[in-house]
Amino acid sequence: MFNWYQTNFNIMDFFTHFLMGLLIGIAGVSPPRLDFLLFAGFMALVPDLDAFLKPLQKKSDSLLFRHRGASHSYVIALMLGLPFGGIMTLITGEPLLFTWSQAVIFISVHLTLDLITTSKIPCFYPISKKQFRLVAERAINPFLMLYSFIIMIFYLIFSNIGLNNEVIILTGKILLWIYLIYFSYRILTKLYLRLTLPKGSSFLPGTLPFRYFIYNVQKLDKKIWYRISRKYQFRVKTEKLIESFIVEDSIEMKYYNIALDNASNLRYHFFSKWKSRIPLIWKEGEFLNVMIILTESLSSKHCYFIKMGFDLTNEGKLINKTDGFDFYTQIEGKEIEYYHYIWSNH
């Protein structure tokens, strides 16, 4: 079940996107209208309708069809908003300029929420294919998803008292402020730590607001060290989680680079969006296994990985590749020469 969740909710979750559209609608329109609120919530989900393009993604790697691709562009939002705004105009009789602008605003709410996460989006496609991310919130956050789900249940239970009820309106405004404070806190934390971290280190958000990770790459004595540590705000203690190294110009480095080149051929595109990688390399007979862990998704003992096997007796031919989130079970019991430290608190 965990793998299914990670695979299908690899962006800021459905509930949070919909709820942010709903709360902004409640706070921004007086009195609130059911048709408008449903429109706001739906438009805040529209960019993720690219999930239905998955069959085309297998045939083309274009940003037009890729998840979190062209649909996650502010430029494309202007185009997407027009047909949806037109439909809303036909239903409600509101001016097209008004419904179009509202559609664009709520699509942009979705894009902005995704932009602050660890996963890149092409904000200005097709003007530019460059992808951006703020790395202030996790792309997959079960804590935030659960919180948003509970609030949605609250609204479903109490919606029978009427949208114009002062309690509903006041609650919506308070909840919107809570979300804005939460995201602002995440962004400020990231910006502060970015200024204070040493060279070669980068900040990665944790599931809970006061927990985060530090990813570090460092060259020392012809070795490249890769580390991920867990820290808590207001605490000095640092917990090492994973630490490994590769000798420069070694056969392990050669196959690590080959594995990186092959990673883009997977059905997921995490490797083009996530950059905090830790390699684990070990031999099994004449086969060399290269596992690459993407620490942006690190949670407990789950983390997205790709593992490739190379046959050293057959000119290093790639014989298999596997990806998933249960990386720890893949290496349990293995003797990994270049792997030094893992889950110190286990």
Side-chain angles (χ1 to χ4, degrees):
M1 183 174 179
F2 184 86
N3 287 353
W4 180 91
Y5 165 77
Q6 297 278 29
T7 301
N8 291 279
F9 291 95
N10 51 30
I11 40 84
M12 185 172 288
D13 62 89
F14 164 91
F15 301 111
T16 302
H17 279 135
F18 183 84
L19 190 60
M20 287 299 293
L22 188 69
L23 294 178
I24 292 172
I26 290 174
V29 176
S30 182
R33 287 170 39 186
L34 180 60
D35 56 352
F36 177 78
L37 294 183
L38 292 176
F39 182 64
F42 174 74
M43 295 313 300
L45 298 176
V46 161
D48 282 345
L49 295 181
D50 59 8
F52 293 102
L53 299 177
K54 197 166 186 178
L56 296 175
Q57 294 170 18
K58 297 177 181 179
K59 299 179 180 180
S60 173
D61 197 38
S62 169
L63 281 172
L64 286 171
F65 310 122
R66 190 186 303 179
H67 180 53
R68 289 176 69 99
S71 66
H72 286 64
S73 161
Y74 291 108
V75 179
I76 299 297
L78 293 170
M79 304 177 192
L80 283 176
L82 185 57
F84 286 106
I87 294 171
M88 192 63 175
T89 291
L90 292 174
I91 295 173
T92 65
E94 296 284 355
L96 177 60
L97 183 60
F98 172 76
T99 57
W100 181 17
S101 64
Q102 298 307 303
V104 173
I105 287 172
F106 288 107
I107 292 174
S108 298
V109 167
H110 180 117
L111 305 186
T112 304
L113 289 174
D114 278 358
L115 180 62
I116 69 174
T117 70
T118 57
S119 197
K120 296 180 179 180
I121 62 172
C123 296
F124 305 110
Y125 181 88
I127 297 173
S128 171
K129 292 184 178 180
K130 187 174 181 180
Q131 301 189 51
F132 301 88
R133 62 176 184 169
L134 188 56
V135 198
E137 173 61 292
R138 293 175 64 88
I140 306 167
N141 193 336
F143 167 76
L144 183 62
M145 179 179 177
L146 178 62
Y147 179 74
S148 299
F149 175 74
I150 292 172
I151 294 175
M152 284 190 65
I153 294 299
F154 165 82
Y155 271 103
L156 286 174
I157 292 174
F158 291 99
S159 61
N160 63 320
I161 67 176
L163 289 172
N164 295 331
N165 185 278
E166 292 183 3
V167 174
I168 291 292
I169 297 173
L170 179 61
T171 302
K173 292 180 178 180
I174 292 173
L175 289 172
L176 178 59
W177 273 107
I178 290 174
Y179 274 97
L180 292 177
I181 291 170
Y182 169 82
F183 289 125
S184 297
Y185 175 79
R186 287 288 214 177
I187 293 170
L188 290 173
T189 297
K190 182 263 163 47
L191 294 177
Y192 170 75
L193 289 171
R194 183 178 180 180
L195 294 174
T196 59
L197 287 175
K199 185 178 179 180
S201 298
S202 56
F203 164 86
L204 293 175
T207 303
L208 300 175
F210 300 108
R211 184 173 68 185
Y212 61 93
F213 302 98
I214 300 299
Y215 172 75
N216 178 267
V217 178
Q218 184 179 24
K219 292 184 180 181
L220 185 64
D221 297 329
K222 295 185 178 181
K223 297 176 182 177
I224 301 178
W225 289 85
Y226 305 84
R227 301 181 181 91
I228 185 75
S229 303
R230 179 167 55 204
K231 290 182 68 68
Y232 296 85
Q233 284 182 305
F234 316 117
R235 284 175 55 182
V236 178
K237 183 180 178 181
T238 299
E239 300 174 351
K240 289 183 180 180
L241 298 180
I242 308 173
E243 183 177 69
S244 70
F245 71 82
I246 301 181
V247 177
E248 292 185 276
D249 301 320
S250 64
I251 188 172
E252 286 80 9
M253 179 61 76
K254 172 186 174 181
Y255 282 98
Y256 173 54
N257 289 325
I258 292 174
L260 285 176
D261 290 338
N262 278 276
S264 60
N265 296 325
L266 281 181
R267 62 186 180 276
Y268 299 121
H269 295 279
F270 294 133
F271 273 81
S272 67
K273 300 177 181 296
W274 294 349
K275 301 298 182 182
S276 303
R277 304 162 178 149
I278 293 184
L280 300 178
I281 303 173
W282 70 96
K283 277 188 175 182
E284 288 182 311
E286 297 300 324
F287 299 100
L288 185 72
N289 293 293
V290 179
M291 175 182 283
I292 307 171
I293 299 173
L294 288 180
T295 57
E296 279 93 340
S297 63
L298 188 63
S299 176
S300 183
K301 290 183 181 176
H302 296 280
C303 193
Y304 180 69
F305 75 91
I306 177 175
K307 185 180 75 171
M308 300 188 190
F310 298 92
D311 186 353
L312 299 181
T313 64
N314 189 13
E315 300 180 345
K317 181 180 178 181
L318 175 62
I319 55 174
N320 61 67
K321 56 186 177 183
T322 307
D323 67 306
F325 287 86
D326 56 340
F327 86 97
Y328 189 73
T329 62
Q330 298 282 326
I331 61 174
E332 212 166 10
K334 307 293 184 184
E335 294 185 10
I336 305 177
E337 183 180 358
Y338 287 84
Y339 155 73
H340 287 266
Y341 205 108
I342 192 162
W343 302 115
S344 59
N345 61 339
H346 178 60

